[in-house]
């Protein structure tokens, strides 16, 4: 594991953006899984700015999302698909057929999950999974206790996750009871993982990862021993501070 502490929100976003830009320079057609949430917003802004300045090419890569709310379609502004379009994927140089976003309102949700896995497999698997971290240790929507060998599947969301996500919506949107998420098996199979950890609420979950012991109560510990894991974290979360 490569662990990097950053001293400010700016440095955090810059470091993550330079990591992704480095991958795209090396592997322009990389297949990348994208997270939603407050953590990656700065990263997405930086990548778009780098692309506008001609310093990174986003156009050859393929993009998929990690997770989505069940029952919420991509046209709904509360959806993760809409979030990713707003913050990143509407960049002018990303072709529509290089994007595969989960449809939370698909009539057959199991078929939708299988189609997501098939699309990633057809593109040759994930070159990079970019992840945020839940305060309860979740990665994507893989909540504590989730099995570690699954592909994309439906999961019940914990009350902690629903409350954390409700805070992002001022309009009374009720966070659904279930999510659709890429499974830990698929995330672990990514050739590289970039875990972004920001905010004091993540200290215990980060501590579980740093302890280095796989523990199903802390899904993030499924990444222990991954051959190409980079963690970019707030220096405020450094143990002992
Ligand atoms: P956040 O969410 O980036 O909004 O803190 C991360 C997560 O729950 O995965």
């Amino acid at each position: 594991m490569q662990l990097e502490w950053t001293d400010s929100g700016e440095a955090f976003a810059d470091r993550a953006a330079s990591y992704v830009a480095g991958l795209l320079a090396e592997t322009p057609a990389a297949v990348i899984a994208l997270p939603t949430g407050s953590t990656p917003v700065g990263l997405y802004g930086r990548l778009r700015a780098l692309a506008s300045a001609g310093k990174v090419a986003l156009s050859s890569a393929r993009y998929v999302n990690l997770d989505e709310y069940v029952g919420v379609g991509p046209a709904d502004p509360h959806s993760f698909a809409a979030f990713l379009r707003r913050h990143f994927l509407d960049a002018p140089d990303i072709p529509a057929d290089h994007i595969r976003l989960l449809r939370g309102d698909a009539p057959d949700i199991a078929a939708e999950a299988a189609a997501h896995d098939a699309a990633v497999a057809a593109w040759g698997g994930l070159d990079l999974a970019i992840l945020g971290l839940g305060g309860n240790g979740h990665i994507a929507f893989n909540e504590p206790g989730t099995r570690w060998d699954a592909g994309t599947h439906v999961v019940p969301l914990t009350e902690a996750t629903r409350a954390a996500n409700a805070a992002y919506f001022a309009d009374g949107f009720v966070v659904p009871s279930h999510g659709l998420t890429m499974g830990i098996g698929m995330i672990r199979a990514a050739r590289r993982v970039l875990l972004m950890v920001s905010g004091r609420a993540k200290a215990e979950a980060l501590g579980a990862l740093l302890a280095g012991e796989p523990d199903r109560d802390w899904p993030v510990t499924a990444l222990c021993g991954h051959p190409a894991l980079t963690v970019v974290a707030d220096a405020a979360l450094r143990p002992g501070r």
Side-chain angles (χ1 to χ4, degrees), residues 35-41 66-67 131-136 138-141 161 164-165 168 196 198-199 201-202:
T36 302
S38 56
T39 303
V41 168
L66 286 169
D67 47 8
L131 306 173
L133 178 62
N136 63 2
H138 74 205
I139 48 175
F141 268 150
T161 295
N165 288 18
Y168 294 124
M196 302 178 68
S198 167
K202 317 296 175 65

Short mmCIF file of all heavy atoms in Angstrom, two decimals, residues 35-41 66-67 131-136 138-141 161 164-165 168 196 198-199 201-202, ligand 1:
data_model
loop_
_atom_site.label_atom_id
_atom_site.label_comp_id
_atom_site.label_asym_id
_atom_site.label_seq_id
_atom_site.Cartn_x
_atom_site.Cartn_y
_atom_site.Cartn_z
N PRO A 35 -16.47 7.10 -8.10
CA PRO A 35 -17.32 7.25 -6.91
C PRO A 35 -18.13 8.54 -6.92
O PRO A 35 -17.80 9.49 -7.62
CB PRO A 35 -16.29 7.30 -5.78
CG PRO A 35 -15.13 8.06 -6.39
CD PRO A 35 -15.13 7.67 -7.87
N THR A 36 -19.15 8.54 -6.10
CA THR A 36 -19.99 9.73 -5.86
C THR A 36 -19.71 10.18 -4.42
O THR A 36 -19.12 9.44 -3.65
CB THR A 36 -21.46 9.30 -6.04
OG1 THR A 36 -21.59 8.78 -7.35
CG2 THR A 36 -22.43 10.44 -5.88
N GLY A 37 -20.13 11.39 -4.07
CA GLY A 37 -19.95 11.86 -2.70
C GLY A 37 -19.17 13.16 -2.70
O GLY A 37 -18.76 13.66 -3.76
N SER A 38 -18.95 13.70 -1.52
CA SER A 38 -18.22 14.98 -1.45
C SER A 38 -16.73 14.77 -1.69
O SER A 38 -16.05 15.66 -2.21
CB SER A 38 -18.45 15.64 -0.09
OG SER A 38 -18.07 14.74 0.93
N THR A 39 -16.22 13.60 -1.35
CA THR A 39 -14.77 13.37 -1.40
C THR A 39 -14.16 13.60 -2.78
O THR A 39 -13.12 14.24 -2.88
CB THR A 39 -14.46 11.93 -0.92
OG1 THR A 39 -15.01 11.78 0.39
CG2 THR A 39 -12.97 11.65 -0.89
N PRO A 40 -14.75 13.10 -3.88
CA PRO A 40 -14.07 13.22 -5.18
C PRO A 40 -14.39 14.50 -5.96
O PRO A 40 -13.89 14.66 -7.08
CB PRO A 40 -14.58 11.99 -5.95
CG PRO A 40 -15.95 11.76 -5.41
CD PRO A 40 -15.93 12.22 -3.98
N VAL A 41 -15.18 15.41 -5.39
CA VAL A 41 -15.61 16.58 -6.17
C VAL A 41 -14.41 17.39 -6.66
O VAL A 41 -14.34 17.80 -7.83
CB VAL A 41 -16.60 17.44 -5.35
CG1 VAL A 41 -16.84 18.79 -6.01
CG2 VAL A 41 -17.93 16.71 -5.18
N LEU A 66 -19.66 3.22 -9.64
CA LEU A 66 -19.54 2.18 -8.62
C LEU A 66 -20.88 1.77 -8.07
O LEU A 66 -21.07 0.62 -7.68
CB LEU A 66 -18.73 2.70 -7.42
CG LEU A 66 -17.23 2.86 -7.58
CD1 LEU A 66 -16.70 3.64 -6.39
CD2 LEU A 66 -16.56 1.50 -7.66
N ASP A 67 -21.79 2.74 -8.00
CA ASP A 67 -23.03 2.45 -7.28
C ASP A 67 -24.14 3.43 -7.67
O ASP A 67 -23.89 4.41 -8.37
CB ASP A 67 -22.80 2.41 -5.76
CG ASP A 67 -21.99 3.59 -5.22
OD1 ASP A 67 -21.73 4.55 -5.98
OD2 ASP A 67 -21.63 3.56 -4.03
N LEU A 131 -12.13 5.15 -5.14
CA LEU A 131 -13.09 4.92 -4.05
C LEU A 131 -13.07 6.04 -3.04
O LEU A 131 -11.99 6.57 -2.71
CB LEU A 131 -12.73 3.62 -3.30
CG LEU A 131 -12.58 2.34 -4.10
CD1 LEU A 131 -12.05 1.22 -3.20
CD2 LEU A 131 -13.91 1.93 -4.72
N GLY A 132 -14.27 6.38 -2.51
CA GLY A 132 -14.35 7.13 -1.27
C GLY A 132 -14.45 6.10 -0.15
O GLY A 132 -14.37 4.89 -0.38
N LEU A 133 -14.64 6.56 1.07
CA LEU A 133 -14.75 5.65 2.21
C LEU A 133 -15.90 6.11 3.09
O LEU A 133 -15.99 7.31 3.40
CB LEU A 133 -13.42 5.68 2.98
CG LEU A 133 -13.33 4.83 4.25
CD1 LEU A 133 -13.52 3.34 3.94
CD2 LEU A 133 -11.97 5.05 4.92
N GLY A 134 -16.75 5.17 3.48
CA GLY A 134 -17.83 5.51 4.40
C GLY A 134 -17.31 5.52 5.84
O GLY A 134 -16.33 4.83 6.15
N GLY A 135 -17.97 6.27 6.69
CA GLY A 135 -17.57 6.28 8.10
C GLY A 135 -17.66 4.89 8.71
O GLY A 135 -16.93 4.56 9.65
N ASN A 136 -18.55 4.06 8.17
CA ASN A 136 -18.69 2.68 8.68
C ASN A 136 -17.78 1.70 7.93
O ASN A 136 -17.92 0.50 8.08
CB ASN A 136 -20.15 2.21 8.59
CG ASN A 136 -20.66 2.14 7.16
OD1 ASN A 136 -19.93 2.40 6.21
ND2 ASN A 136 -21.92 1.78 7.01
N HIS A 138 -17.60 1.38 4.62
CA HIS A 138 -18.07 0.88 3.33
C HIS A 138 -17.22 1.42 2.17
O HIS A 138 -16.67 2.52 2.25
CB HIS A 138 -19.57 1.11 3.12
CG HIS A 138 -19.99 2.51 2.82
ND1 HIS A 138 -21.26 2.97 3.10
CD2 HIS A 138 -19.36 3.55 2.25
CE1 HIS A 138 -21.37 4.22 2.72
NE2 HIS A 138 -20.23 4.60 2.19
N ILE A 139 -17.12 0.61 1.12
CA ILE A 139 -16.55 1.06 -0.15
C ILE A 139 -17.62 0.81 -1.19
O ILE A 139 -18.26 -0.23 -1.20
CB ILE A 139 -15.20 0.36 -0.50
CG1 ILE A 139 -15.28 -1.15 -0.33
CG2 ILE A 139 -14.09 0.94 0.35
CD1 ILE A 139 -14.00 -1.88 -0.78
N ALA A 140 -17.85 1.80 -2.06
CA ALA A 140 -19.07 1.86 -2.85
C ALA A 140 -20.22 1.66 -1.85
O ALA A 140 -20.18 2.25 -0.77
CB ALA A 140 -19.04 0.85 -3.99
N PHE A 141 -21.22 0.83 -2.15
CA PHE A 141 -22.29 0.62 -1.17
C PHE A 141 -22.13 -0.75 -0.50
O PHE A 141 -23.10 -1.35 -0.05
CB PHE A 141 -23.66 0.71 -1.85
CG PHE A 141 -24.28 2.08 -1.83
CD1 PHE A 141 -25.13 2.47 -2.87
CD2 PHE A 141 -24.07 2.98 -0.80
CE1 PHE A 141 -25.74 3.72 -2.88
CE2 PHE A 141 -24.66 4.23 -0.79
CZ PHE A 141 -25.50 4.61 -1.83
N THR A 161 -25.62 5.16 6.65
CA THR A 161 -25.35 5.60 5.28
C THR A 161 -26.49 6.47 4.77
O THR A 161 -26.27 7.51 4.14
CB THR A 161 -25.15 4.37 4.38
OG1 THR A 161 -23.97 3.69 4.83
CG2 THR A 161 -25.00 4.76 2.92
N ALA A 164 -26.15 9.84 6.38
CA ALA A 164 -25.00 10.60 5.85
C ALA A 164 -25.35 11.15 4.47
O ALA A 164 -25.04 12.30 4.14
CB ALA A 164 -23.76 9.70 5.78
N ASN A 165 -26.03 10.36 3.64
CA ASN A 165 -26.34 10.80 2.29
C ASN A 165 -27.49 11.81 2.26
O ASN A 165 -27.50 12.71 1.41
CB ASN A 165 -26.66 9.60 1.39
CG ASN A 165 -25.40 8.80 1.08
OD1 ASN A 165 -24.39 8.91 1.76
ND2 ASN A 165 -25.47 7.98 0.06
N TYR A 168 -26.85 15.57 2.05
CA TYR A 168 -26.49 16.26 0.80
C TYR A 168 -27.69 16.86 0.08
O TYR A 168 -27.53 17.58 -0.89
CB TYR A 168 -25.77 15.30 -0.15
CG TYR A 168 -24.43 14.87 0.39
CD1 TYR A 168 -24.12 13.53 0.55
CD2 TYR A 168 -23.48 15.80 0.77
CE1 TYR A 168 -22.90 13.13 1.07
CE2 TYR A 168 -22.26 15.43 1.30
CZ TYR A 168 -21.98 14.08 1.44
OH TYR A 168 -20.78 13.70 1.96
N MET A 196 -9.66 7.42 -1.58
CA MET A 196 -9.58 8.81 -1.14
C MET A 196 -10.29 8.93 0.21
O MET A 196 -11.47 8.58 0.32
CB MET A 196 -10.24 9.72 -2.17
CG MET A 196 -9.63 9.61 -3.56
SD MET A 196 -10.49 10.69 -4.76
CE MET A 196 -10.02 12.31 -4.13
N SER A 198 -11.24 11.46 3.27
CA SER A 198 -11.31 12.85 3.69
C SER A 198 -12.39 13.02 4.75
O SER A 198 -13.51 12.53 4.57
CB SER A 198 -11.62 13.70 2.46
OG SER A 198 -11.99 14.99 2.82
N GLY A 199 -12.08 13.69 5.83
CA GLY A 199 -13.10 13.99 6.85
C GLY A 199 -12.90 13.15 8.11
O GLY A 199 -12.61 11.96 8.04
N ALA A 201 -14.87 11.91 10.18
CA ALA A 201 -15.78 10.77 10.39
C ALA A 201 -15.18 9.47 9.83
O ALA A 201 -15.69 8.39 10.11
CB ALA A 201 -17.11 11.06 9.71
N LYS A 202 -14.11 9.57 9.06
CA LYS A 202 -13.53 8.39 8.44
C LYS A 202 -12.35 7.82 9.23
O LYS A 202 -11.74 6.82 8.81
CB LYS A 202 -13.02 8.71 7.02
CG LYS A 202 -13.96 9.57 6.19
CD LYS A 202 -15.27 8.88 5.91
CE LYS A 202 -16.26 9.77 5.19
NZ LYS A 202 -15.86 10.17 3.85
P1 LIG B 1 -18.43 11.17 1.09
O1 LIG B 1 -18.95 9.68 1.02
O2 LIG B 1 -17.38 11.31 0.03
O3 LIG B 1 -19.61 12.00 0.81
O4 LIG B 1 -17.86 11.37 2.47
C1 LIG B 1 -18.03 8.66 0.89
C2 LIG B 1 -18.76 7.33 0.98
O5 LIG B 1 -19.70 7.19 1.75
O6 LIG B 1 -18.33 6.41 0.26
#
